Amino acid sequence: MAEVEDKLKDYEIKKEGEAEILMLKSNAVFFNPVQVHNRDMSIAVLRTFVAKRKEEHEALMNKRNKSHKKDNQIETSVANGDAALTSQHDKMDVVNEKEPNQATNEIADVSKEATKTPSWKVTRELKPPVVLEALAASGLRSLRYAREVDGLEKVVALDNDKASVEACKRNIKFNGSAAINKVEAHLADARVYMLTHPKEFDVVDLDPYGSPSVFLDSAVQAVADGGLLMCTATDLAVLCGTNGEVCYSKYGSYPVKGKYCHEMALRILLASIESHANRYKRYIVPVLSVFMDFYVRVFVRVFTSASEIKNTPLKLSYVYQCAGCDSFHLQSLGRTVTKNNSVKYAPGIGPVVPQECGDCGKKFNVGGPIWSAPIHDQDWVLSTLTDVRPMKDRYPAYNKITSVLTTVSEELHDIPLFFSLHSISGTVKCTSPSAVMFRSAVINAGYQISSSHVNPLGLKSDAPWDVIWDIMRCWVKNHPIKEQPHDTPGTAILSKSPQIEANFSRAVAALSKAQTKKVKRFLPNPESHWGPKVRAGRTITSKHISLLGAEAINGAIGHQDGNGEVTDKPASDTGETATEEVNEPSTKRQKTSDGEQANEP
């Protein structure tokens, strides 16, 4: 017992869900406890995938059964008709009733035999799904999949860091037979491994530290037909427009700065995955796409069809964002033309906007292409939410994932991007109407409107911008503002007379069901300094104070030297104490190895 305690003194046990892992007290293997939201959401969607996959297989088998039964009935009726004609001829030629009866019985026996063992029923049985976690690190995610998701055959955990693979194998043993029988760890480059195992995995999980762009090409090839690809991107500074040229080099899209930047990040990632999939005659169907905490996470199914990829240009659009006001417009890359019952594909017709904004007179910035088709499958979202609710004890982040899924279920799924109510009020320099009043005005004008899970102040609507600004003009008439300089976008917008008379009387649909029942939809961070942690292998110093907090930094500096080894000396080259170093504010921002800013914009 003493030997075991000596071996464990350098480790601390981390428990999450039903899995437990041993973590070295140094920063040798990356582990981010705040990603519990990510892992819980992934487990919820994976459970839905296992159930949906089984339902789809059963539906396919039933459909084949019905079609083949019909074929058998037709063959039997034709055979009986031929036998009847033969028997009539036999009666006319030979007065013997036994022979035709024997012939009829033989045909009937043959048909029964065919019905009992049809040749088409040599079908492949549905095998349990195989999961690949391409970047496993400590292996916590793989262990949770194996222990908490029923019906999985095995989970393959990969990492190209030797220390991580050793930690993963150690954690597999630590979790007992339930993990040993299902999880296997390999030291391998994820890209090479996925390329050499095409279409072998029903689920592929990508959760890198930073951008997933280098893994996408091999990931879309490793997923089986109808399989699930789960992908995280934490490089939001790149995806949200801070480094547009870097975003284009990694994802093939140029971002524009707008209040919808985090949803645009989701749509840029989806467009990039679709682009990689199309190269191999494959396409994606998003089932859930979420922005949470400091990252975006998408869940897409991957299918193979050479004809279906022709529709990809219809799902992509360029974005025209006005540089003066908040209005934006989308330009589809392609369109279809129907002629004589045939469908032909053609380039999109444009431009959709003039050189200058019709509302404020400013120029447009162009971004994209982005994914402009729906980013959620509402049936999947509702199924996942329904499955999660009775299992509160099995999800450490139950409140967070239910709040996100509830908000996603209320979104208008076919409306790309959103606008901010406070932002458009700021454009015209007026006090903002309440969300209920503004939503009522849009609904009373005959349009749809909903919230967005990305931003508590975000609103999605199919109302054109002319209607949105007319509602604001009517609001300003009833709530006068101070005179503004003549060259501002707000002045140009308010100088025009409204074409409709806005009705701000409360509409029944202005509040969603969740709001009516007072269900929490946007939760605060559970603790301070909630965000991405320091990359594995890096020495924790005072510059990480914004990520970890003063107390954590002070403790880490007091127990580690420059090599990450335990020491009682403060890690300071200038002779200053650790406390003095911590109290000194740092102006540097955490960088990734690619030079990107790791924290969100």
Side-chain angles (χ1 to χ4, degrees):
M1 194 67 182
E3 292 180 1
V4 175
E5 290 179 359
D6 289 339
K7 288 182 180 179
L8 292 178
K9 68 180 181 180
D10 294 332
Y11 299 92
E12 54 182 325
I13 299 174
K14 303 282 188 181
K15 181 175 173 59
E16 186 179 291
E18 296 181 17
E20 292 181 331
I21 60 172
L22 295 170
M23 287 299 298
L24 279 168
K25 293 177 182 178
S26 63
N27 193 34
V29 177
F30 183 70
F31 167 68
N32 198 355
V34 304
Q35 286 286 58
V36 61
H37 295 168
N38 187 314
R39 290 184 281 267
D40 270 15
M41 183 67 79
S42 302
I43 288 170
V45 175
L46 185 53
R47 283 179 174 145
T48 304
F49 170 73
V50 173
K52 291 274 186 186
R53 183 171 173 267
K54 187 175 180 180
E55 290 174 7
E56 290 171 0
H57 182 75
E58 290 175 354
L60 180 62
M61 291 298 101
N62 291 336
K63 187 177 179 181
R64 288 183 179 178
N65 281 334
K66 289 179 181 178
S67 64
H68 283 280
K69 280 181 181 178
K70 286 181 181 178
D71 293 341
N72 288 334
Q73 287 174 359
I74 293 171
E75 290 175 5
T76 304
S77 61
V78 170
N80 288 337
D82 292 341
L85 288 173
T86 306
S87 64
Q88 287 179 4
H89 287 297
D90 289 342
K91 283 180 182 178
M92 292 174 63
D93 297 338
V94 180
V95 187
N96 188 350
E97 295 181 0
K98 290 183 180 180
E99 292 181 3
N101 287 338
Q102 288 174 355
T104 307
N105 291 335
E106 287 174 4
I107 294 171
D109 291 339
V110 170
S111 351
K112 284 179 182 177
E113 198 71 27
T115 309
K116 282 181 183 177
T117 55
S119 59
W120 60 269
K121 205 161 185 176
V122 188
T123 56
R124 181 172 59 89
E125 292 184 4
L126 184 65
K127 295 181 179 179
V130 180
V131 180
L132 170 69
E133 188 189 1
L135 305 155
S138 64
L140 175 60
R141 187 185 299 261
S142 295
L143 291 168
R144 289 197 65 189
Y145 286 164
R147 297 197 61 170
E148 298 180 37
V149 182
D150 297 330
L152 299 182
E153 181 179 343
K154 69 174 178 177
V155 181
V156 179
L158 301 180
D159 209 293
N160 65 347
D161 178 59
K162 190 175 181 180
S164 296
V165 175
E166 289 175 356
C168 189
K169 290 180 178 179
R170 181 170 57 245
N171 292 328
I172 291 171
K173 292 180 181 178
F174 188 67
N175 280 265
S177 60
I180 294 171
N181 296 333
K182 277 193 175 182
V183 185
E184 54 185 57
H186 298 287
L187 177 65
D189 187 320
R191 294 167 294 182
V192 176
Y193 192 91
M194 289 188 288
L195 282 174
T196 53
H197 296 76
K199 296 185 179 180
E200 284 193 17
F201 300 99
D202 301 288
V203 181
V204 172
D205 192 325
L206 291 177
D207 188 12
Y209 191 99
S211 173
S213 58
V214 296
F215 302 101
L216 294 180
D217 195 80
S218 50
V220 295
Q221 299 180 66
V223 186
D225 278 341
L228 185 68
L229 172 62
M230 305 187 283
C231 182
T232 303
T234 61
D235 57 334
L236 291 189
V238 171
L239 284 166
C240 292
T242 304
N243 299 309
E245 65 283 357
V246 178
C247 183
Y248 187 82
S249 68
K250 291 190 172 186
Y251 298 98
S253 293
Y254 207 97
V256 292
K257 293 182 180 179
K259 293 297 179 182
Y260 50 72
C261 62
H262 293 110
E263 183 179 331
M264 190 174 189
L266 280 169
R267 295 182 178 276
I268 287 175
L269 179 57
L270 288 171
S272 181
I273 297 173
E274 174 78 352
S275 173
H276 286 283
N278 286 171
R279 298 165 196 172
Y280 307 101
K281 298 181 180 179
R282 312 193 84 185
Y283 67 98
I284 65 169
V285 177
V287 295
L288 178 64
S289 308
V290 293
F291 162 70
M292 295 197 307
D293 300 329
F294 53 88
Y295 57 88
V296 290
R297 176 81 162 165
V298 298
F299 302 85
V300 301
R301 299 190 71 182
V302 182
F303 298 92
T304 304
S305 173
S307 59
E308 184 63 30
I309 62 175
K310 295 178 182 178
N311 293 319
T312 293
L314 309 179
K315 306 172 189 175
L316 303 176
S317 297
Y318 286 104
V319 180
Y320 291 88
Q321 173 64 57
C322 178
C325 64
D326 297 272
S327 61
F328 58 86
H329 306 269
L330 272 69
Q331 167 70 66
S332 178
L333 264 68
R335 60 191 172 94
T336 55
V337 180
T338 306
K339 186 177 180 181
N340 298 329
N341 296 326
S342 64
V343 178
K344 293 186 177 180
Y345 296 86
I349 297 177
V352 293
V353 292
Q355 283 287 319
E356 297 179 348
C357 176
D359 297 312
C360 69
K362 302 295 183 181
K363 299 290 185 181
F364 286 96
N365 292 321
V366 184
I370 65 169
W371 180 272
S372 53
I375 61 175
H376 314 295
D377 184 324
Q378 291 298 328
D379 180 50
W380 271 69
V381 174
L382 292 173
S383 296
T384 305
L385 185 58
T386 304
D387 293 341
V388 167
R389 279 176 176 156
M391 305 172 70
K392 183 175 182 178
D393 296 337
R394 300 188 67 182
Y395 291 100
Y398 172 83
N399 291 334
K400 178 66 175 182
I401 64 172
T402 51
S403 65
V404 172
L405 290 170
T406 300
T407 316
V408 168
S409 68
E410 297 173 347
E411 284 188 4
L412 291 174
H413 69 283
D414 54 350
I415 304 297
L417 306 182
F418 62 87
F419 59 90
S420 169
L421 180 55
H422 283 194
S423 183
I424 62 174
S425 299
T427 300
V428 296
K429 309 298 181 185
C430 71
T431 57
S432 175
S434 69
V436 175
M437 293 182 69
F438 186 86
R439 291 172 69 157
S440 297
V442 173
I443 293 169
N444 292 332
Y447 298 96
Q448 294 178 299
I449 191 167
S450 76
S451 59
S452 169
H453 82 277
V454 172
N455 190 326
L457 299 173
L459 294 172
K460 287 176 169 283
S461 178
D462 58 352
W465 277 99
D466 293 341
V467 173
I468 299 296
W469 291 127
D470 277 351
I471 291 173
M472 295 307 297
R473 292 183 185 109
C474 295
W475 174 259
V476 171
K477 275 187 177 181
N478 298 328
H479 302 78
I481 61 172
K482 295 179 181 180
E483 187 176 350
Q484 302 294 325
H486 68 281
D487 59 343
T488 62
T491 302
I493 291 170
L494 295 177
S495 64
K496 300 175 183 178
S497 300
Q499 300 299 311
I500 64 168
E501 190 63 34
N503 179 9
F504 290 97
S505 59
R506 183 163 178 167
V508 177
L511 286 178
S512 66
K513 292 180 180 179
Q515 287 175 298
T516 305
K517 296 177 180 178
K518 296 184 178 180
V519 176
K520 293 182 179 179
R521 299 174 303 142
F522 299 94
L523 300 179
N525 290 336
E527 60 185 39
S528 60
H529 303 284
W530 186 264
K533 303 306 179 187
V534 183
R535 185 193 287 266
R538 289 192 174 181
T539 304
I540 297 174
T541 64
S542 60
K543 72 177 182 178
H544 300 118
I545 190 170
S546 62
L547 300 178
L548 305 177
E551 292 182 4
I553 295 298
N554 202 14
I557 291 177
H559 290 85
Q560 291 182 0
D561 63 8
N563 298 319
E565 296 177 354
V566 179
T567 176
D568 294 330
K569 297 179 182 178
S572 174
D573 297 331
T574 60
E576 297 175 350
T577 63
T579 306
E580 290 172 349
E581 194 174 0
V582 169
N583 291 334
E584 191 175 320
S586 173
T587 57
K588 295 182 181 180
R589 300 180 71 183
Q590 176 67 23
K591 303 278 184 178
T592 66
S593 60
D594 297 327
E596 308 150 13
Q597 292 170 343
N599 47 341
E600 65 178 297

